[in-house]
Amino acid sequence: STSHKIYSIDKWTTKELKDYWNIDSENFFLYPEIKVDELISKEKVKKKNQIVIFGRIAPNKSIEESIKIFALGTKNFPDYNLIIMGGKTADTKEYIQKLKELMMELGISERVEIIKSPSFDELKKILQESKIIIDSQKEINLTMTSLEAMAAGNVVLGYKNSGGYIDILDNGKFGYGFLNEEDGGEKLKEIIEKINKGKINIAASIKRAQDFGKDRFLKTLKIILGEK
């Protein structure tokens, strides 16, 4: 029926629908509900020189690219460590071995820890103590993990052709984007330098993460249902 309307979950998906299927959707987005409030620290947490890669530990998550960006971006900051954490899949064991070989090649093995299937409390603690999340996933809609890290006070460094950069970071207004590994390494170096000089406003990023919480989701849903 011509009276039906299509609502995308984000701007990136709207563009994909138009580009690949010539489907028009409303310029109004039903962003998914993310439980960001549980990750916002109620008291000041001391941050470590720690960067995270967060999500399922699986080949489709482009973790190799994120590791290379970490190695490039922290070349002048050897006091920075990396934590890779997330759920396991059938491929995880073999994939971790591949990642460890890459770390050896890059000479960063001693600065990297891999945590499989962390509990929520462990995940929350690590995110709140970290400063930066690297997300190298390409051509996907917005990711829950970047938002959760953002709520916990992390600067997001994400691939530009993704829903995370377009929707969550508002094309770089609330974080940083990169085009390839070399660009990502340069951006990471810039972020660390700015953090060290106190030139990054984490409070604005935390506030932005709250835009994707329960209240925003329910408000948007009511508006959409009210139009039917």
Side-chain angles (χ1 to χ4, degrees), residues 139-174:
E139 300 176 355
I140 61 167
N141 54 20
L142 61 84
T143 57
M144 179 174 72
T145 50
S146 288
L147 269 169
E148 289 174 335
M150 201 175 185
N154 287 262
V155 178
V156 178
L157 174 60
Y159 191 76
K160 280 190 173 180
N161 186 13
S162 69
Y165 182 76
I166 295 167
D167 290 274
I168 299 172
L169 303 184
D170 195 7
N171 292 301
K173 185 177 177 182
F174 297 99

Side-chain angles (χ1 to χ4, degrees), residues 45-51 83 123-131 152 154:
V45 176
K46 183 174 174 57
K47 292 280 188 181
K48 297 178 179 179
N49 288 343
Q50 184 169 285
I51 296 169
I83 292 182
L123 180 153
K124 180 177 178 180
K125 182 175 186 291
I126 290 167
L127 288 180
Q128 289 182 345
E129 290 176 346
S130 299
K131 293 182 178 179
N154 287 262

Side-chain angles (χ1 to χ4, degrees), residues 185-203:
E186 285 298 315
K187 291 293 196 311
L188 180 57
K189 180 184 173 185
E190 179 187 338
I191 292 168
I192 293 171
E193 288 172 347
K194 285 186 174 179
I195 287 175
N196 289 345
K197 294 175 183 175
K199 290 186 175 181
I200 288 185
N201 183 5
I202 292 299

Side-chain angles (χ1 to χ4, degrees), residues 71-87:
L72 286 168
T74 61
K75 199 172 286 184
N76 298 332
F77 305 98
D79 56 327
Y80 268 76
N81 296 316
L82 174 67
I83 292 182
I84 300 168
M85 63 176 176

Side-chain angles (χ1 to χ4, degrees), residues 34-148:
I34 312 293
K35 291 180 170 56
V36 292
D37 292 339
E38 295 177 28
L39 289 155
I40 297 172
S41 178
K42 304 296 185 288
E43 51 195 50
K44 192 170 178 63
V45 176
K46 183 174 174 57
K47 292 280 188 181
K48 297 178 179 179
N49 288 343
Q50 184 169 285
I51 296 169
V52 291
I53 297 170
F54 172 34
R56 280 194 310 277
I57 303 175
N60 67 319
K61 298 299 181 180
S62 303
I63 295 174
E64 296 100 322
E65 192 167 350
S66 295
I67 288 171
K68 290 173 186 175
I69 288 169
F70 170 81
L72 286 168
T74 61
K75 199 172 286 184
N76 298 332
F77 305 98
D79 56 327
Y80 268 76
N81 296 316
L82 174 67
I83 292 182
I84 300 168
M85 63 176 176
K88 295 184 289 184
T89 70
D91 303 319
T92 296
K93 188 175 180 181
E94 287 181 10
Y95 188 51
I96 285 176
Q97 187 55 44
K98 185 179 176 183
L99 296 179
K100 286 181 176 178
E101 289 169 8
L102 175 61
M103 293 171 210
M104 287 283 288
E105 287 173 25
L106 297 171
I108 60 169
S109 297
E110 292 181 0
R111 295 197 287 135
V112 183
E113 181 182 1
I114 298 175
I115 301 172
K116 293 175 285 185
S117 301
S119 67
F120 179 76
D121 287 342
E122 188 176 14
L123 180 153
K124 180 177 178 180
K125 182 175 186 291
I126 290 167
L127 288 180
Q128 289 182 345
E129 290 176 346
S130 299
K131 293 182 178 179
I132 303 161
I133 179 172
I134 305 172
D135 185 356
S136 295
Q137 295 180 84
K138 305 173 183 68
E139 300 176 355
I140 61 167
N141 54 20
L142 61 84
T143 57
M144 179 174 72
T145 50
S146 288
L147 269 169
E148 289 174 335

